[in-house]
Amino acid sequence: MSTSHMVDERRRSYVIRGALLLMLLWLGVSAYGIWRYASQETEPPVFDALSYVQKAQAFWSAVNEHGIFFNPLDLAPQIRPFGTVFFTHPYGFTEDFRPFYFFSSFFPALILAFAMLVAAGRTAWRDSRSVWVLCVLLVVSASLPSYYQFASAEGVPVMGSWGFVDTLFGAIGAVGIAFATRSVPERWMRDTVLSAAIAALTIFIKPAALTLMMLIAGAWGLMALGLLYRRKISPRTFWRGLAIYAGSYALVAAILYHSAYFSKENYLYGLSSMKLLHAAQIHAPTLSQITEKLKLAFGVPCLVLVLAGLVCAAFQRHWDRLGVAIVCLIGGTWLWLGQTNIEHVRYFFPFPVMALACVVPSLIWISLRVRGVIVACSALLLIPTGVVGLLLLEPLPSPEMQRVMGLNLSTNLHSEEVRQGRELSELLSREPGRVSIIYYCGVAPKVKAFEAVMDWNRVLGLKGGNSNPALPIDWVREHAYRLDEMLAARFLVFQPYEYPDAIAATIRVADDFDKEQALVRAWLTTLGAASGVRVVSDGGVRVLEILDPSAVARSARRRLLPGHTFRQVFYDGFTLPDTVSEGTIRGLDGNLAHEPISLYFGATLVATIRGVTVTPQADGTSKVDVYATQESPMPKSDSQWLLFVHTKDGQGELTQAYVPFHETTAQLNTLVHYVLSLPAGPRKPSSYAIGVFSHAPGRDDLFLTSKDGEWGGRRYVL
């Protein structure tokens, strides 16, 4: 062996050891920092994060009760798959949520770094320069800012917060596409099996995995055709690989087909949620907004590596890798900006990291053909990681530096709201036979923290969990406050203003949900004993108990509605139904109910519809007047009957609106006039449908998104 070769081998050995040491050092710093912050947190998971905890509780309870003989896809909540359990609660369920926070933040870093190792392959270890580039890739992929965004904080821009699994989802997708795009003929069948299995696994993490599965299969197919064309694999081997993918996907389809997780209701509920998310994006996002969101999710070094990888793939003429990476980025952009909105960059997260995994071999290849000084310059990409490490280790990290780096190292910010929630839970625990509805005004961090305590106790069946949440946001209908739903609650929870009159004076035209929310909060801040409420708790949030609903309604008509202009959907929600005479029906023009319509819920006759008229409005919405007689009282004290109207177009697409029935038994057998506002749709309605449902926790309203049928008498197609 020549002297120069021995020197090269020694240098390569040193670089490998240094790279491994640097990677282990970073993982140690990251794990320590995440756990230090997670261990201080007192705010339980809420919303999406809570649903993953609920799934873990149901899964491990079923394991303890049935062993392995049960269908985990049918466990509540059925809208969540069970795959997250193995990453968020790998050793069983515990009521201590801090390990969940740690695992959901740390595991994605490990998995994404593993994806880069898989994509690089053995070639990366043959030269000191390629080893160094691989080291940079590993450290950067294990230190993305989205891993270090903890408690929700007012005014702090983030991709997510404690307990979200989008980074986990993206990391697993990157592993799948890394195996699918490795061009190593001698290990090709093994990589095919692994890529197909991991692609199939993604559907058990999030329903959006359908897109990832198509991308991974397409990437595999494109790479396989390239190998076949270059005669690196035989036609027989190609067909065997195709059979593996087809068989894996067919098996997954068979498992999902009869499961509650992949029901039509869940699927259409997801589509409804996406439509509402996209509708919230009123103006097209600017380039600066897009780049700011990308920095929060990926950081500058990762974005630089993605762009460099695309350039290297083009320079090397790796057209298959380049094509797959570009399709990933285009598909992700379509899902993010075309189907949701600029605020939800977490939906975009999987696609750039999958694109990076595709072009890693091109980055490794180019590192072997450029000067060492150029490779050494890649060390500049590690500077942000060093800054992140210092911030993680700092007792009081600088808020300014956190903002610059896209981090949010906030923890235990809402101890006051957590205390208030525990106090109300204690109060409710003294009334075990009574279930109280709590109406939360919005999802501001302080309100969310309070709700987190109440929902945690309710979902886990803990002491003081006898409450049900109600919000102006439910992902089935347009975001709006509705007075009937607020008055149906026992408690109102909101963040008060110091100067409510000043807020009300500055907003005259409330043309979006945020402005309406500000006016509602300002109005609620002014409520007192004379308005039919009492203050139960006042701290970070204010908790009001409604003692006289009619007095609260009078206050809304007197203090909230005058002097302001609202959207029609808001007026609908704050226009209480009125009693009318039978003569109104006889003189009703354009009545779509040619004869009385009976609506049932199960065996219960809930309502008789006497009249329905639809009037198009100038802004594209439709005003719907419904004349109904309520036949049955509320099913339970913690729920209520709601009346809904659907539109159906030629393709079966739905738009919808609904309002609560009057709730007192005094209103039974009385003809009542309800007003609803249907949002504008892209196509002209071909028909309308009217129905009822029982609004209660547990996603009982999921069937509202179903396109077909009359649902056992719940709905009548006009």
Side-chain angles (χ1 to χ4, degrees):
M1 182 181 295
S2 66
T3 304
S4 61
H5 185 69
M6 292 177 62
V7 170
D8 289 341
E9 280 296 308
R10 190 177 298 113
R11 183 188 300 120
R12 187 176 70 90
S13 176
Y14 288 150
V15 173
I16 289 175
R17 293 175 187 176
L20 293 176
L21 181 61
L22 183 60
M23 186 62 190
L24 292 174
L25 176 63
W26 171 249
L27 291 176
V29 169
S30 177
Y32 169 78
I34 293 173
W35 176 248
R36 183 166 71 92
Y37 284 96
S39 63
Q40 298 172 26
E41 187 59 78
T42 60
E43 180 184 335
V46 71
F47 300 151
D48 291 27
L50 178 58
S51 66
Y52 299 124
V53 174
Q54 186 180 5
K55 195 71 174 188
Q57 182 193 39
F59 179 86
W60 289 114
S61 295
V63 168
N64 293 332
E65 183 177 351
H66 304 293
I68 62 172
F69 299 103
F70 67 94
N71 186 350
L73 293 172
D74 290 340
L75 299 174
Q78 294 165 347
I79 202 166
R80 297 295 180 195
F82 67 93
T84 56
V85 173
F86 305 111
F87 301 96
T88 63
H89 296 79
Y91 51 80
F93 180 74
T94 172
E95 292 176 9
D96 183 358
F97 48 80
R98 296 173 301 170
F100 164 56
Y101 286 162
F102 172 78
F103 288 135
S104 60
S105 296
F106 183 66
F107 274 174
L110 283 178
I111 296 171
L112 188 56
F114 175 70
M116 298 302 113
L117 278 174
V118 170
R122 295 181 181 178
T123 306
W125 303 95
R126 294 177 181 175
D127 185 89
S128 58
R129 287 176 292 181
S130 60
V131 170
W132 174 248
V133 169
L134 177 60
C135 175
V136 172
L137 276 165
L138 295 177
V139 174
V140 168
S141 61
S143 59
L144 304 185
S146 47
Y147 305 147
Y148 310 103
Q149 298 173 5
F150 303 149
S152 297
E154 195 77 51
V156 177
V158 292
M159 186 185 93
S161 56
W162 287 126
F164 280 85
V165 300
D166 300 274
T167 51
L168 172 68
F169 179 54
I172 293 174
V175 175
I177 210 164
F179 277 115
T181 55
R182 286 213 304 188
S183 300
V184 185
E186 61 270 20
R187 296 193 301 275
W188 190 76
M189 285 304 300
R190 186 199 66 182
D191 289 348
T192 295
V193 171
L194 289 172
S195 64
I198 294 168
L201 171 64
T202 61
I203 196 64
F204 301 109
I205 304 295
K206 289 193 73 171
L210 287 173
T211 305
L212 268 63
M213 290 175 70
M214 289 189 292
L215 283 174
I216 294 172
W220 174 89
L222 190 60
M223 298 298 294
L225 288 173
L227 290 173
L228 185 63
Y229 176 77
R230 295 190 297 272
R231 298 185 179 181
K232 296 291 184 69
I233 59 173
S234 66
R236 181 180 178 183
T237 302
F238 170 79
W239 289 111
R240 285 173 58 199
L242 188 62
I244 289 171
Y245 258 91
S248 300
Y249 283 21
L251 177 61
V252 168
I255 294 171
L256 296 177
Y257 183 71
H258 294 292
S259 71
Y261 163 54
F262 226 67
S263 64
K264 182 169 65 176
E265 289 77 15
N266 276 356
Y267 171 69
L268 293 173
Y269 171 73
L271 292 183
S272 173
S273 301
M274 300 286 273
K275 287 167 66 175
L276 288 170
L277 279 174
H278 190 56
Q281 185 168 278
I282 301 173
H283 304 292
T286 64
L287 181 60
S288 62
Q289 289 176 316
I290 294 172
T291 54
E292 181 62 27
K293 293 298 180 182
L294 292 177
K295 191 184 81 169
L296 287 173
F298 306 101
V300 173
C302 182
L303 296 175
V304 169
L305 286 172
V306 172
L307 292 175
L310 296 176
V311 172
C312 292
F315 182 79
Q316 193 186 358
R317 298 184 180 180
H318 283 169
W319 305 123
D320 43 7
R321 297 186 182 281
L322 180 64
V324 171
I326 290 175
V327 169
C328 285
L329 295 174
I330 292 175
T333 303
W334 169 82
L335 180 65
W336 174 28
L337 300 179
Q339 299 298 305
T340 62
N341 62 58
I342 185 67
E343 296 301 323
H344 291 76
V345 67
R346 61 193 182 94
Y347 289 106
F348 183 59
F349 181 85
F351 302 95
V353 295
M354 291 173 67
L356 179 59
C358 291
V359 297
V360 163
S362 299
L363 287 169
I364 298 299
W365 180 88
I366 207 73
S367 69
L368 298 173
R369 287 157 177 79
V370 297
R371 293 179 179 273
V373 66
I374 297 177
V375 174
C377 288
S378 62
L380 296 174
L381 298 178
L382 299 180
I383 294 176
T385 300
V387 176
V388 172
L390 291 175
L391 291 173
L392 285 173
L393 298 175
E394 277 284 330
L396 296 172
S398 163
E400 292 77 14
M401 284 304 301
Q402 290 183 54
R403 186 178 293 273
V404 169
M405 301 305 300
L407 312 183
N408 173 29
L409 304 182
S410 305
T411 192
N412 201 28
L413 282 181
H414 306 116
S415 57
E416 172 65 13
E417 293 74 35
V418 169
R419 179 193 63 79
Q420 288 181 274
R422 289 173 177 170
E423 286 180 352
L424 185 60
S425 294
E426 181 62 29
L427 185 152
L428 295 181
S429 70
R430 300 175 199 146
E431 309 169 331
R434 180 180 185 182
V435 178
S436 299
I437 298 175
I438 304 176
Y439 193 96
Y440 300 97
C441 296
V443 291
K446 290 186 177 183
V447 175
K448 193 169 78 168
F450 184 97
E451 184 181 355
V453 177
M454 308 307 297
D455 286 356
W456 180 258
N457 292 343
R458 173 178 58 84
V459 168
L460 270 62
L462 304 178
K463 182 180 178 182
N466 49 320
S467 70
N468 282 329
L471 293 98
I473 300 172
D474 58 20
W475 301 115
V476 176
R477 53 186 171 164
E478 198 171 359
H479 301 348
Y481 284 88
R482 295 163 174 91
L483 184 59
D484 264 356
E485 295 176 17
M486 298 176 74
L487 298 182
R490 179 183 176 188
F491 299 102
L492 301 172
V493 179
F494 64 99
Q495 189 174 345
Y497 285 117
E498 186 175 0
Y499 303 106
D501 292 338
I503 296 295
T506 57
I507 303 175
R508 291 301 178 188
V509 178
D511 53 4
D512 61 36
F513 176 73
D514 290 336
K515 293 174 184 175
E516 290 169 356
Q517 181 163 261
L519 289 174
V520 170
R521 284 176 54 195
W523 163 61
L524 292 175
T525 304
T526 66
L527 297 184
S531 305
V533 303
R534 78 177 181 94
V535 179
V536 176
S537 178
D538 204 0
V541 296
R542 183 173 296 173
V543 183
L544 302 179
E545 183 177 13
I546 298 178
L547 303 178
D548 185 352
S550 60
V552 177
R554 287 194 299 271
S555 174
R557 290 193 291 268
R558 187 176 67 253
R559 296 186 60 90
L560 175 61
L561 296 178
H564 302 99
T565 302
F566 296 93
R567 296 176 301 158
Q568 184 59 47
V569 68
F570 186 89
Y571 283 124
D572 293 347
F574 273 76
T575 302
L576 296 179
D578 58 305
T579 302
V580 296
S581 65
E582 290 287 336
T584 306
I585 299 299
R586 288 193 293 270
L588 194 62
D589 292 331
N591 187 1
L592 298 179
H594 303 300
E595 58 184 24
I597 300 167
S598 297
L599 295 176
Y600 292 84
F601 197 90
T604 303
L605 175 62
V606 177
T608 301
I609 306 300
R610 305 293 303 283
V612 181
T613 64
V614 180
T615 307
Q617 304 295 299
D619 61 357
T621 63
S622 296
K623 177 175 174 285
V624 184
D625 295 273
V626 179
Y627 301 84
T629 301
Q630 185 176 346
E631 308 287 356
S632 302
M634 291 188 302
K636 296 185 295 183
S637 62
D638 61 335
S639 62
Q640 58 189 146
W641 295 123
L642 283 97
L643 176 77
F644 68 85
V645 173
H646 278 168
T647 66
K648 300 181 69 177
D649 61 24
Q651 299 183 27
E653 292 296 326
L654 307 177
T655 58
Q656 54 208 358
Y658 53 96
V659 295
F661 276 162
H662 273 201
E663 299 180 8
T664 62
T665 55
Q667 293 294 334
L668 296 181
N669 305 311
T670 302
L671 188 61
V672 179
H673 174 211
Y674 298 89
V675 179
L676 299 87
S677 180
L678 285 167
R683 292 179 289 271
K684 184 178 180 180
S686 61
S687 62
Y688 297 89
I690 188 166
V692 292
F693 74 99
S694 172
H695 186 55
R699 291 260 57 95
D700 293 336
D701 52 356
L702 284 181
F703 73 87
L704 279 172
T705 58
S706 184
K707 297 179 181 180
D708 304 315
E710 296 189 355
W711 311 331
R714 299 176 186 178
R715 180 176 76 164
Y716 182 88
V717 179
L718 297 167

